[in-house]
Amino acid sequence: MTKRTSAKYKIDRRMGENIWGRPKSPVNRREYGPGQHGQRRKGKLSDFGIQLRAKQKLKGYYGDLTEKQFRRIYTEAERVKGDTGENLIGLLERRLDAVVYRAKFVPTVFAARQFVNHGHVKVNGKKVNIPSYRVKEGDVIEIRDRSKQNVAVLEAVALAERDVPDYIDADHSKMSATFVRTPSLGDVPYPVMMEPNLVIEYYAQN
Protein backbone atom coordinates (compact mmCIF):
# COMPACT_ATOMS: atom_id res chain seq x y z
CA MET A 1 0.00 0.00 0.00
CA THR A 2 1.57 3.29 -1.05
CA LYS A 3 1.43 6.47 0.98
CA ARG A 4 -0.51 8.03 -1.88
CA THR A 5 -3.22 5.39 -1.67
CA SER A 6 -3.77 5.94 2.04
CA ALA A 7 -3.86 9.71 1.48
CA LYS A 8 -6.27 9.77 -1.46
CA TYR A 9 -9.18 11.11 0.56
CA LYS A 10 -6.96 13.83 2.00
CA ILE A 11 -6.69 15.15 -1.56
CA ASP A 12 -10.51 15.31 -1.76
CA ARG A 13 -10.68 17.12 1.57
CA ARG A 14 -7.90 19.53 0.66
CA MET A 15 -9.63 20.43 -2.59
CA GLY A 16 -13.07 20.49 -0.97
CA GLU A 17 -14.35 18.40 -3.89
CA ASN A 18 -15.01 14.73 -4.55
CA ILE A 19 -12.57 14.68 -7.48
CA TRP A 20 -13.07 10.99 -8.38
CA GLY A 21 -16.83 10.99 -7.73
CA ARG A 22 -16.54 8.14 -5.25
CA PRO A 23 -19.43 7.47 -2.85
CA LYS A 24 -17.08 6.99 0.13
CA SER A 25 -15.37 10.37 -0.21
CA PRO A 26 -15.42 12.31 3.09
CA VAL A 27 -16.34 15.44 1.13
CA ASN A 28 -19.81 13.93 0.75
CA ARG A 29 -20.15 14.40 4.51
CA ARG A 30 -18.02 17.47 5.24
CA GLU A 31 -16.74 19.96 2.74
CA TYR A 32 -14.00 21.58 4.81
CA GLY A 33 -10.29 20.78 4.61
CA PRO A 34 -8.37 18.24 6.69
CA GLY A 35 -6.81 19.04 10.08
CA GLN A 36 -8.04 20.83 13.19
CA HIS A 37 -8.22 24.20 11.41
CA GLY A 38 -9.91 22.87 8.28
CA GLN A 39 -13.22 24.57 8.96
CA ARG A 40 -11.61 27.99 9.24
CA ARG A 41 -9.65 27.83 5.98
CA LYS A 42 -12.30 29.29 3.69
CA GLY A 43 -10.44 32.51 2.78
CA LYS A 44 -10.72 34.01 -0.71
CA LEU A 45 -8.08 32.59 -3.03
CA SER A 46 -5.74 34.85 -5.04
CA ASP A 47 -5.28 34.30 -8.79
CA PHE A 48 -2.11 32.36 -7.95
CA GLY A 49 -4.06 30.28 -5.41
CA ILE A 50 -6.77 29.47 -7.96
CA GLN A 51 -4.15 28.40 -10.53
CA LEU A 52 -2.24 26.34 -7.96
CA ARG A 53 -5.45 24.63 -6.85
CA ALA A 54 -6.32 23.75 -10.48
CA LYS A 55 -2.87 22.21 -10.91
CA GLN A 56 -3.05 20.26 -7.62
CA LYS A 57 -6.52 18.97 -8.50
CA LEU A 58 -5.47 17.70 -11.95
CA LYS A 59 -2.19 16.28 -10.59
CA GLY A 60 -4.05 14.62 -7.70
CA TYR A 61 -6.70 13.11 -9.98
CA TYR A 62 -4.11 11.04 -11.84
CA GLY A 63 -2.84 9.39 -8.68
CA ASP A 64 -1.13 12.41 -7.13
CA LEU A 65 1.74 12.51 -9.61
CA THR A 66 4.99 14.04 -8.39
CA GLU A 67 5.66 17.65 -9.38
CA LYS A 68 8.60 16.50 -11.51
CA GLN A 69 6.43 14.00 -13.45
CA PHE A 70 3.62 16.50 -13.93
CA ARG A 71 5.90 19.31 -15.07
CA ARG A 72 7.56 16.98 -17.59
CA ILE A 73 4.13 16.17 -19.08
CA TYR A 74 3.25 19.90 -19.18
CA THR A 75 6.55 20.71 -20.96
CA GLU A 76 5.78 18.08 -23.58
CA ALA A 77 2.21 19.37 -24.00
CA GLU A 78 3.63 22.84 -24.61
CA ARG A 79 6.07 21.55 -27.26
CA VAL A 80 3.43 19.72 -29.30
CA LYS A 81 1.45 21.69 -31.89
CA GLY A 82 -2.07 22.70 -30.87
CA ASP A 83 -3.81 23.84 -27.69
CA THR A 84 -1.52 23.19 -24.71
CA GLY A 85 -4.41 22.50 -22.31
CA GLU A 86 -5.96 19.92 -24.66
CA ASN A 87 -2.52 18.38 -25.27
CA LEU A 88 -1.97 18.10 -21.51
CA ILE A 89 -5.25 16.23 -21.00
CA GLY A 90 -4.49 13.97 -23.98
CA LEU A 91 -1.05 13.04 -22.61
CA LEU A 92 -2.45 12.33 -19.13
CA GLU A 93 -5.22 10.13 -20.55
CA ARG A 94 -2.67 8.14 -22.57
CA ARG A 95 -0.87 6.97 -19.44
CA LEU A 96 -1.30 3.20 -19.07
CA ASP A 97 -2.57 3.48 -15.48
CA ALA A 98 -5.20 6.02 -16.61
CA VAL A 99 -6.37 3.69 -19.43
CA VAL A 100 -6.59 0.71 -17.03
CA TYR A 101 -8.70 2.87 -14.69
CA ARG A 102 -10.91 4.23 -17.50
CA ALA A 103 -11.52 0.69 -18.81
CA LYS A 104 -12.92 -0.19 -15.35
CA PHE A 105 -10.39 -2.97 -14.71
CA VAL A 106 -9.69 -1.47 -11.26
CA PRO A 107 -11.75 0.65 -8.83
CA THR A 108 -9.35 3.62 -8.44
CA VAL A 109 -6.51 5.32 -10.27
CA PHE A 110 -4.25 4.46 -7.30
CA ALA A 111 -5.15 0.78 -7.69
CA ALA A 112 -4.39 1.09 -11.43
CA ARG A 113 -0.84 2.22 -10.74
CA GLN A 114 -0.28 -0.68 -8.34
CA PHE A 115 -1.94 -3.15 -10.72
CA VAL A 116 0.35 -2.15 -13.60
CA ASN A 117 3.40 -2.10 -11.31
CA HIS A 118 2.72 -5.69 -10.23
CA GLY A 119 2.79 -6.95 -13.82
CA HIS A 120 -0.92 -7.74 -14.33
CA VAL A 121 -1.25 -5.83 -17.62
CA LYS A 122 -0.20 -6.49 -21.23
CA VAL A 123 -0.08 -4.00 -24.10
CA ASN A 124 -0.30 -5.55 -27.58
CA GLY A 125 0.52 -8.95 -26.03
CA LYS A 126 3.61 -7.81 -24.08
CA LYS A 127 3.78 -7.34 -20.31
CA VAL A 128 4.22 -3.69 -19.33
CA ASN A 129 4.76 -2.75 -15.68
CA ILE A 130 5.36 1.00 -16.06
CA PRO A 131 2.26 3.04 -15.04
CA SER A 132 3.44 6.08 -17.01
CA TYR A 133 3.84 4.03 -20.23
CA ARG A 134 2.13 5.99 -22.99
CA VAL A 135 -0.37 4.09 -25.08
CA LYS A 136 -1.02 4.89 -28.73
CA GLU A 137 -4.26 4.88 -30.69
CA GLY A 138 -5.12 1.28 -31.61
CA ASP A 139 -3.13 -0.27 -28.74
CA VAL A 140 -4.81 -3.26 -27.08
CA ILE A 141 -4.55 -3.33 -23.28
CA GLU A 142 -5.47 -6.59 -21.56
CA ILE A 143 -5.33 -8.24 -18.16
CA ARG A 144 -2.96 -11.20 -18.00
CA ASP A 145 -4.76 -14.57 -17.88
CA ARG A 146 -3.72 -15.37 -14.31
CA SER A 147 -5.06 -11.99 -13.10
CA LYS A 148 -8.50 -12.08 -14.75
CA GLN A 149 -10.20 -13.58 -11.71
CA ASN A 150 -8.61 -11.04 -9.35
CA VAL A 151 -11.31 -9.97 -6.86
CA ALA A 152 -10.54 -6.25 -7.28
CA VAL A 153 -10.89 -6.57 -11.06
CA LEU A 154 -14.23 -8.37 -10.86
CA GLU A 155 -15.54 -5.79 -8.36
CA ALA A 156 -14.37 -2.86 -10.52
CA VAL A 157 -16.07 -4.24 -13.64
CA ALA A 158 -19.34 -4.45 -11.71
CA LEU A 159 -19.12 -0.88 -10.35
CA ALA A 160 -22.08 1.21 -11.38
CA GLU A 161 -20.60 4.54 -10.29
CA ARG A 162 -18.81 5.24 -13.62
CA ASP A 163 -18.96 4.26 -17.29
CA VAL A 164 -16.22 3.50 -19.80
CA PRO A 165 -15.76 6.58 -22.04
CA ASP A 166 -16.21 6.20 -25.81
CA TYR A 167 -12.51 6.69 -26.64
CA ILE A 168 -11.85 3.30 -25.03
CA ASP A 169 -13.48 0.17 -26.41
CA ALA A 170 -13.61 -2.26 -23.47
CA ASP A 171 -14.62 -5.91 -23.63
CA HIS A 172 -15.04 -7.10 -20.05
CA SER A 173 -15.78 -10.68 -21.12
CA LYS A 174 -12.22 -10.86 -22.47
CA MET A 175 -10.77 -8.35 -19.99
CA SER A 176 -9.28 -6.34 -22.82
CA ALA A 177 -9.66 -2.78 -24.09
CA THR A 178 -8.58 -0.87 -27.20
CA PHE A 179 -7.45 2.75 -26.92
CA VAL A 180 -9.48 4.11 -29.83
CA ARG A 181 -8.37 7.76 -29.87
CA THR A 182 -6.77 10.50 -27.80
CA PRO A 183 -9.60 12.39 -26.08
CA SER A 184 -10.11 16.13 -25.80
CA LEU A 185 -11.07 17.78 -22.48
CA GLY A 186 -14.80 17.55 -23.28
CA ASP A 187 -14.57 13.77 -23.80
CA VAL A 188 -13.06 12.95 -20.42
CA PRO A 189 -15.63 12.00 -17.73
CA TYR A 190 -14.24 14.05 -14.84
CA PRO A 191 -16.70 14.11 -11.91
CA VAL A 192 -15.61 17.71 -11.17
CA MET A 193 -14.59 20.60 -13.40
CA MET A 194 -10.95 20.49 -14.48
CA GLU A 195 -9.36 23.69 -15.75
CA PRO A 196 -6.16 22.92 -17.68
CA ASN A 197 -6.09 26.55 -18.89
CA LEU A 198 -5.38 27.62 -15.27
CA VAL A 199 -2.62 24.99 -15.05
CA ILE A 200 -1.04 26.52 -18.17
CA GLU A 201 -1.28 29.99 -16.59
CA TYR A 202 0.34 28.67 -13.40
CA TYR A 203 3.35 27.25 -15.22
CA ALA A 204 3.65 30.27 -17.53
CA GLN A 205 4.14 32.48 -14.46
CA ASN A 206 6.25 30.14 -12.33
Side-chain angles (χ1 to χ4, degrees):
M1 186 70 75
T2 64
K3 284 183 188 171
R4 286 179 179 144
T5 308
S6 60
K8 66 178 180 282
Y9 290 135
K10 273 191 183 171
I11 299 169
D12 272 3
R13 296 266 309 281
R14 197 166 66 228
M15 296 299 147
E17 292 180 84
N18 182 357
I19 67 173
W20 294 284
R22 302 223 65 202
K24 288 182 184 171
S25 173
V27 177
N28 298 338
R29 296 188 300 278
R30 43 188 181 188
E31 292 185 357
Y32 49 86
Q36 65 186 77
H37 303 297
Q39 293 183 67
R40 288 187 292 183
R41 282 192 200 146
K42 276 286 188 192
K44 194 172 184 299
L45 286 173
S46 63
D47 285 349
F48 170 79
I50 291 167
Q51 292 162 0
L52 176 64
R53 192 186 188 88
K55 175 184 75 94
Q56 301 292 65
K57 186 160 67 169
L58 193 61
K59 190 157 74 87
Y61 182 87
Y62 287 94
D64 207 15
L65 301 175
T66 65
E67 180 58 30
K68 190 176 176 183
Q69 283 175 311
F70 195 70
R71 183 148 206 151
R72 197 183 302 130
I73 296 168
Y74 161 75
T75 304
E76 193 172 342
E78 199 180 28
R79 267 203 319 264
V80 182
K81 204 165 76 172
D83 182 275
T84 306
E86 291 285 355
N87 292 342
L88 178 64
I89 297 300
L91 289 171
L92 287 165
E93 283 293 310
R94 283 174 56 198
R95 285 175 58 96
L96 180 56
D97 56 359
V99 176
V100 167
Y101 171 64
R102 290 279 179 238
K104 278 182 74 175
F105 292 146
V106 289
T108 69
V109 74
F110 295 90
R113 176 181 294 160
Q114 200 172 47
F115 198 68
V116 174
N117 254 332
H118 290 180
H120 298 296
V121 177
K122 293 195 290 188
V123 179
N124 299 330
K126 292 182 181 173
K127 187 175 92 166
V128 178
N129 59 3
I130 302 161
S132 61
Y133 176 90
R134 194 166 292 156
V135 303
K136 299 187 291 295
E137 293 179 4
D139 278 357
V140 176
I141 296 90
E142 58 186 321
I143 306 297
R144 292 180 77 191
D145 287 342
R146 63 186 174 84
S147 309
K148 287 180 178 176
Q149 295 306 309
N150 183 301
V151 174
V153 173
L154 297 174
E155 283 178 0
V157 166
L159 274 179
E161 65 192 56
R162 59 192 175 92
D163 297 317
V164 178
D166 64 4
Y167 51 90
I168 291 172
D169 183 12
D171 183 344
H172 289 137
S173 65
K174 293 179 181 171
M175 290 295 180
S176 74
T178 303
F179 188 73
V180 179
R181 60 183 173 83
T182 302
S184 60
L185 175 62
D187 298 324
V188 183
Y190 294 119
V192 296
M193 194 163 116
M194 293 294 180
E195 298 162 295
N197 57 310
L198 294 178
V199 179
I200 308 308
E201 286 173 21
Y202 172 87
Y203 280 123
Q205 294 168 25
N206 295 283

